[in-house]
Every structure is written in structure tokens, then in C-alpha cells.
Amino acid sequence: MAVVRTEGLVKTYGATRALDDITLTFPDGGFFGLLGPSGSGKTTLLRAIAGFVIPDSGRVFIDDAPVENVPVEAREIGMVFQNYALFPNMTVAGNVGFGLEVRKVPAAERKRRVAEVLDLVQLGELGDRKPHELSGGQRQRVAMARAIVTRPRVLLLDEPLSALDKSLRVEMQIELKRIQREVGITTIFVTHDQEEALTLSDQIGILRDGRLVRHGPPREVYDNPRDPFTAQFLGEANLFSGTPEPGGLRLADGTLIPGAPTATIAVRAEDLRITLDEPAAPIRLRARLRQRIFAGAMGTCVLDWRGNPLKAIGRDQDFAGLPAQGDVWLSWDSADMIPLSEG
Ligand SMILES: Nc1ncnc2c1ncn2[C@@H]1O[C@H](COP(=O)(O)OP(=O)(O)O)[C@@H](O)[C@H]1O
Ligand SMILES: [Mg+2]
């Protein structure tokens, strides 16, 4: 296990700043979820930690030791990438044991360690199969086993589940978390799936255009996103901006939002109430319901408020009695307003 730390990492490709001054600590034994839109620098950051990318400036430390002079293979890092390739002609056990063979681990110990790690990923019976005889989820487990069999200090996972279909992905998320807990290895996990990051991580970091916008425990970042990008990236947030007055926030259409703490606020889609009749709530807006989308347990209402799209999420009974579309009232509790900085 190890603490990984980056200090002022910068990497440019021509005019693109793939990493723009990234200073971040990945705690010992923790599960750190890195997320951000495509092209935000997630893969570049992992590759810089692994040693495949040489930063223009800044440093990487593993347990307080700088690693710039440590080659990739000596950094003791295990990796699973999105397009991990297993050796097609080797058995599962052969694939998993390959890294140990390269490291000249004696055959008897190799066999023992391969068996141990195959048990851990619940493939104990399948060591003799070839990759083409496995399902997608099973191949994924082989890739995990291969990454951890060498007992690396750090595990880097770059969107390892994105090739799997939804139900398998959810199953593998639970597996991944279990394996990481059992091995206790410092893990940095890249995903563009916010739900996946929130589910798995002890800490998350959000990248945008090579910059670290925000990091912290998932719940803390979700409850207090602080900036509009984070608010809208994690979950569904409705933003309102206006001019602060002694009585509240004056929106462009003249509506006063009493108690609004800042010039820009966010209200989570799950915190918006929709009613046909004017509510008694002190915070209320007239809006137009554009569409109701049924999606199983939870449904979505797409709304329009003076040309701004809004979204409400709730159970079917929350939206009972509403028309398919038409004028409605929106309201929310003042406790559900999230203060945001400008942006
Ligand atoms: N080898 C490279 N050559 C040129 N540009 C690159 C290279 N690697 C990454 N980039 C650019 O750096 C930015 C960040 O890329 P990447 O780290 O792959 O993002 P992410 O993994 O978040 O999708 C993107 O604009 C990408 O086009
Ligand atoms: Mg990537």
C-alpha cells in the first residue's frame, strides 16, 4: 500500500493543456474516483502516475519518494485499461501468472499466487480456459487478477467497466469494491460515469480541461458542489442566477427568491416540487411542463422556465395529477438551495 501524491503536474500537447497544475493526494488504501468529461485529462493523469507520460513540470511521489527516475516497471503499479487485452493463446492462469514469470518468481510460488488471486476474483475453477471461452465479465476479472497478482503498491483503473453492459457493470462495480477492500490497495479509478464514481469511491476528484475543479468525499462534493460545473456534472441540478437584494435573490423576470444565499443557486432535480395549484410555499415559480418521462421506479419532468430548461425527478406518485404538459407551479424548500460561486 502507498500514498500517491502529485504536485503541480503540467502536461501540454501543442496548445492543449491535458494536465494543468494538478496537485492531489491519493490516500493510502483508499478508492479514489477520478471523473470528468471526455478529454478532461483523466487518462493523462493516470499515465503520468504510471510513468508512461513524462510531465512538462511537476512531480509524482509514491510514499513521499519522487518517482521521475523510476521506470514504469519499477513503480510497482498494477493497471487495467479500458481496452485491456488478454493473451488469446494463453490460459487464464497463464495470463494471470505472466507478470510473475517475467519477474522470475519460482514456479511453485507462481502457481500458489495465481490460484489465490483467481479465488479472490471468483474464477478459481476456470484457470485452464482460454480467454475466448469466457464471458465479458469473466475476462474483466482476469484483467483485475493479472493487475493485482504482482502485489503492486498502487492500482490504476482506466474506465475498466465501460465496455460492459449496464447490469454486468453494476455487478462488477460491487465485485471491484469487494476485491479492493480485501486487498486494501491504494486505487485510482477513472470513469466518466458519475454514478459509478459516487458508488465506489471514498474520495472523488473532478477534472475539467486538465484542471482539478473539486475533490473530497463523494457525499460532501455532491451536497456542496460550490461551483456550477460540479453542481451540474454530479447529478441533475437546476441553476438560478439573479441580483441579490436584502429580501432575497431577484431573478431577471422579477421573481424574488427569499432566503437565497448567493447570486447563483442550484436546486437538485429531486428537490423541485411541481403542483397544478399555486402552493403556499414562499419560494414558487410559474413554469411550463414540457414532457413527462416514465423510467420505471423514477420519472423525470422536463420543464421550461422563461426559456431555461429545468428538470424534476421523482416517483410516479410525486407527479400524480399533473397533465402531460402545460402551466404548473414549481416550489422548493429554502434548505434545498445550494449556494454556488459565480461561473
Ligand atoms: N498523446 C497525445 N497527443 C496529443 N494530444 C493528446 C495526447 N494524449 C491526450 N491528448 C489530449 O489531451 C487531452 C486530455 O486527454 P485524456 O487525458 O485522454 O482525457 P480523458 O481521459 O479525460 O478523456 C485531450 O484534449 C486529448 O486530446
Ligand atoms: Mg481517458
Side-chain angles (χ1 to χ4, degrees):
M1 282 203 278
V3 179
V4 176
R5 187 160 58 86
T6 70
E7 212 175 83
L9 275 191
V10 173
K11 179 66 186 178
T12 53
Y13 293 105
T16 305
R17 288 177 87 77
L19 298 178
D20 193 356
D21 195 17
I22 303 287
T23 297
L24 193 52
T25 299
F26 302 93
D28 193 9
F31 199 111
F32 195 106
L34 269 178
L35 74 165
S38 176
S40 57
K42 306 180 297 292
T43 294
T44 306
L45 180 54
L46 281 199
R47 293 175 66 84
I49 291 168
F52 293 116
V53 159
I54 310 297
D56 302 348
S57 58
R59 312 183 79 182
V60 176
F61 300 85
I62 300 181
D63 277 342
D64 286 327
V67 295
E68 53 260 26
N69 296 318
V70 182
V72 172
E73 60 280 6
R75 291 191 186 187
E76 296 177 66
I77 283 174
M79 282 172 284
V80 180
F81 291 113
Q82 183 177 350
N83 299 310
Y84 58 89
L86 302 176
F87 301 115
N89 299 321
M90 276 189 195
T91 62
V92 165
N95 268 281
V96 173
F98 184 73
L100 298 176
E101 213 174 316
V102 171
R103 285 169 177 77
K104 309 238 181 324
V105 173
E109 187 188 342
R110 212 160 67 213
K111 194 163 174 224
R112 188 177 55 75
R113 278 169 65 176
V114 167
E116 192 181 283
V117 78
L118 283 179
D119 273 345
L120 178 73
V121 300
Q122 298 179 341
L123 289 179
E125 313 294 298
L126 304 184
D128 295 329
R129 293 232 186 134
K130 294 283 179 61
H132 74 267
E133 296 168 311
L134 302 177
S135 71
Q138 288 169 335
R139 280 200 290 268
Q140 181 63 54
R141 288 163 201 259
V142 176
M144 271 297 286
R146 192 173 59 171
I148 57 183
V149 75
T150 57
R151 301 189 182 139
R153 295 194 288 166
V154 181
L155 186 60
L156 303 179
L157 305 170
D158 193 354
E159 309 206 23
L161 307 182
S162 60
L164 306 177
D165 64 41
K166 173 90 178 164
S167 64
L168 192 52
R169 202 162 74 229
V170 171
E171 190 183 309
M172 281 306 295
Q173 286 170 1
I174 295 165
E175 271 298 280
L176 193 58
K177 185 78 182 177
R178 176 188 66 78
I179 294 166
Q180 192 267 343
R181 278 220 187 95
E182 279 184 34
V183 185
I185 188 172
T186 306
T187 300
I188 309 175
F189 175 83
V190 163
T191 178
H192 60 259
D193 180 335
Q194 46 141 322
E195 233 176 89
E196 192 165 280
L198 292 172
T199 308
L200 292 171
S201 315
D202 314 314
Q203 299 252 353
I204 56 169
I206 299 175
L207 291 177
R208 180 193 196 184
D209 297 336
R211 300 191 71 90
L212 180 69
V213 188
R214 191 63 199 286
H215 64 103
R219 162 123 337 251
E220 196 178 302
V221 176
Y222 185 86
D223 285 345
N224 188 11
R226 289 198 207 134
D227 64 277
F229 179 79
T230 304
Q232 290 187 296
F233 191 76
L234 277 189
E236 298 277 0
N238 298 296
L239 302 192
F240 297 93
S241 288
T243 311
E245 283 181 11
L249 184 65
R250 184 73 65 184
L251 303 181
D253 70 341
T255 306
L256 187 73
I257 307 290
T262 45
T264 301
I265 58 157
V267 183
R268 292 277 175 209
E270 62 268 28
D271 294 327
L272 276 189
R273 273 189 309 267
I274 310 177
T275 51
L276 210 46
D277 299 322
E278 181 166 4
I283 303 172
R284 55 187 190 278
L285 290 175
R286 199 87 175 117
R288 181 164 277 270
L289 178 60
R290 291 269 178 226
Q291 204 185 350
R292 283 176 62 181
I293 300 162
F294 172 73
M298 304 292 275
T300 299
C301 285
V302 180
L303 301 132
D304 177 287
W305 174 71
R306 307 205 163 246
N308 301 296
L310 302 178
K311 225 177 224 184
I313 298 172
R315 290 172 304 170
D316 229 29
Q317 60 259 43
D318 296 329
F319 302 139
L322 294 179
Q325 48 186 20
D327 290 334
V328 293
W329 284 94
L330 293 183
S331 57
W332 62 83
D333 295 338
S334 58
D336 291 330
M337 288 191 278
I338 302 169
L340 297 178
S341 60
E342 304 299 308

